[in-house]
Amino acid sequence: MSNRSTENSNKQLLNFLWNGYTTAAGAAATAHKCQKQLFAETKTKANTEQLQANKASEISGIMGNKQVRQHLETAQKTGILKISLQRLQEFPPQLKNYPNVLKTLDLSENRFERLPDEIGHFTLVKHLNLSGNKLIELPDVLGELTKLEVLLLMNNYLSKIPKTLSNCNNLKTVNLSNNQIKEFPTMLCGLKHLDVLDLSRNKITSVPAEVGTLYTTELNLNQNQISTLSEEIAACPKLKVLRLEENCLQAQTFTPRILRESKICNLSVDGNLFNSKQFTDLDGYEVYMERYTAVKKKMF
């Protein structure tokens, strides 16, 4: 082959390679440009969505604050403040300096984990509803609400309650069901007006001797982990309804003193570590049934 032909062939090859390189480079550049554009569009969209979310949250907060303000204005006249189902995570700041005029305070179905000490300022409150929150503890200042008659704390995450509640001598109803309480709240024993105490769906393992000074007519201990029940429960001066379903009790727990000498006329014990025959064979069961039957006759 001549030198001229070889030279032409080399030029053609170089042109071919250069064209391929420039095409590939162009394709890569185009792809990179598209990628940058897509990233920019995605970022812009994300920023837009975040701004919209922030705006919606801000609007929601404004609306929530407005609703709280409206409730507060009404409560000054009625003494009844209901701020439930508002998804509040913190105690409304407007309440911290609120005048002491409330008799009913309903903060149920929110997202409180703790309550500020300012709640102790509401010494006129008789009905306090804090159910359906995420409370893990209660402040000692609750004991300053000495006019309190109804305390609703069900469906929270409480493992204990403050001893200062023993100062609330006017309590009539206390509901602590569906919490994480492990010890029987003995600070409620001795409260002479306490009529109903609901401790169901907790983690209580024993009922101590102090229960003998409990003045309730109804005590609900269903769905706990109770394996020990003090015989002193027979000494309760007014106890008529005792619910102990789904616990870890043996039949022998219900001694003749409990069955014969107590005032209990409605004893619910299904779901424990014994069958119905073992229970009906207990010494004192017939005496208990006489009380049960007498109450049923009065009802009908």
Side-chain angles (χ1 to χ4, degrees):
M1 181 179 296
S2 66
N3 290 335
R4 185 178 295 277
S5 299
T6 302
E7 185 179 348
N8 290 335
S9 297
N10 290 337
K11 285 183 178 180
Q12 290 176 355
L13 178 60
L14 288 173
N15 288 334
F16 175 77
L17 292 175
W18 174 253
N19 291 334
Y21 169 78
T22 54
T23 301
T30 302
H32 181 65
K33 184 178 180 181
C34 291
Q35 189 175 16
K36 284 184 65 177
Q37 185 176 356
L38 180 61
F39 177 77
E41 290 176 355
T42 303
K43 187 176 181 180
T44 301
K45 183 179 180 182
N47 289 338
T48 302
E49 290 177 350
Q50 184 62 48
L51 288 171
Q52 290 175 345
N54 292 341
K55 187 175 182 180
S57 178
E58 183 179 351
I59 292 171
S60 177
I62 293 171
M63 291 178 66
N65 288 333
K66 185 177 180 181
Q67 289 176 346
V68 169
R69 285 199 302 270
Q70 290 175 345
H71 287 304
L72 289 172
E73 291 172 1
T74 303
Q76 289 191 30
K77 302 174 183 177
T78 64
I80 300 172
L81 178 59
K82 183 175 181 180
I83 313 178
S84 59
L85 295 167
Q86 297 294 321
R87 299 183 178 181
L88 299 176
Q89 295 182 354
E90 296 181 358
F91 200 74
Q94 302 97 319
L95 271 179
K96 293 184 178 181
N97 297 313
Y98 195 73
N100 187 13
V101 297
L102 298 179
K103 293 184 179 180
T104 296
L105 178 56
D106 185 347
L107 297 171
S108 61
E109 304 299 330
N110 282 293
R111 297 175 180 177
F112 301 127
E113 292 184 3
R114 289 178 174 82
L115 298 173
D117 288 343
E118 283 83 358
I119 198 167
H121 296 167
F122 302 113
T123 55
L124 300 179
V125 167
K126 294 183 177 182
H127 189 288
L128 178 58
N129 188 351
L130 294 165
S131 61
N133 277 282
K134 297 183 178 181
L135 293 171
I136 57 177
E137 63 180 3
L138 297 171
D140 288 338
V141 294
L142 276 187
E144 298 176 14
L145 308 183
T146 55
K147 293 186 180 294
L148 198 61
E149 296 180 3
V150 177
L151 178 58
L152 305 179
L153 287 161
M154 55 278 200
N155 303 323
N156 278 287
Y157 299 96
L158 299 169
S159 58
K160 59 182 179 180
I161 59 175
K163 294 180 180 180
T164 55
L165 279 182
S166 60
N167 299 327
C168 300
N169 293 312
N170 289 300
L171 275 173
K172 296 179 180 179
T173 299
V174 176
N175 193 327
L176 288 159
S177 65
N178 197 25
N179 276 281
Q180 303 292 317
I181 297 171
K182 296 180 180 179
E183 295 184 2
F184 191 92
T186 55
M187 71 289 295
L188 299 176
C189 297
L191 298 180
K192 295 186 177 181
H193 297 288
L194 188 59
D195 190 49
V196 176
L197 175 57
D198 191 340
L199 294 166
S200 61
R201 292 182 290 161
N202 277 285
K203 296 183 178 181
I204 299 170
T205 57
S206 64
V207 180
E210 289 89 339
V211 73
T213 60
L214 194 64
Y215 279 83
T216 58
T217 59
E218 180 173 346
L219 174 59
N220 190 343
L221 290 164
N222 287 346
Q223 296 180 354
N224 276 277
Q225 301 168 17
I226 300 170
S227 59
T228 306
L229 175 67
S230 173
E231 193 178 48
E232 290 301 312
I233 201 166
C236 290
K238 299 193 298 179
L239 187 61
K240 294 184 178 181
V241 179
L242 177 58
R243 306 187 190 280
L244 284 162
E245 295 180 0
E246 297 183 43
N247 278 284
C248 306
L249 295 166
Q250 301 283 350
Q252 294 79 6
T253 302
F254 302 96
T255 63
R257 182 185 173 194
I258 293 175
L259 294 174
R260 290 176 178 274
E261 300 178 22
S262 73
K263 295 184 178 180
I264 300 170
C265 54
N266 187 343
L267 181 56
S268 302
V269 296
D270 290 343
N272 281 280
L273 304 180
F274 55 87
N275 57 44
S276 58
K277 187 177 187 307
Q278 288 174 301
F279 185 63
T280 57
D281 287 345
L282 289 172
D283 183 10
Y285 176 78
E286 291 182 358
V287 178
Y288 157 69
M289 281 304 296
E290 288 175 2
R291 294 195 300 272
Y292 176 83
T293 304
V295 170
K296 285 293 182 182
K297 286 182 178 179
K298 288 181 180 179
M299 291 176 62
F300 297 101

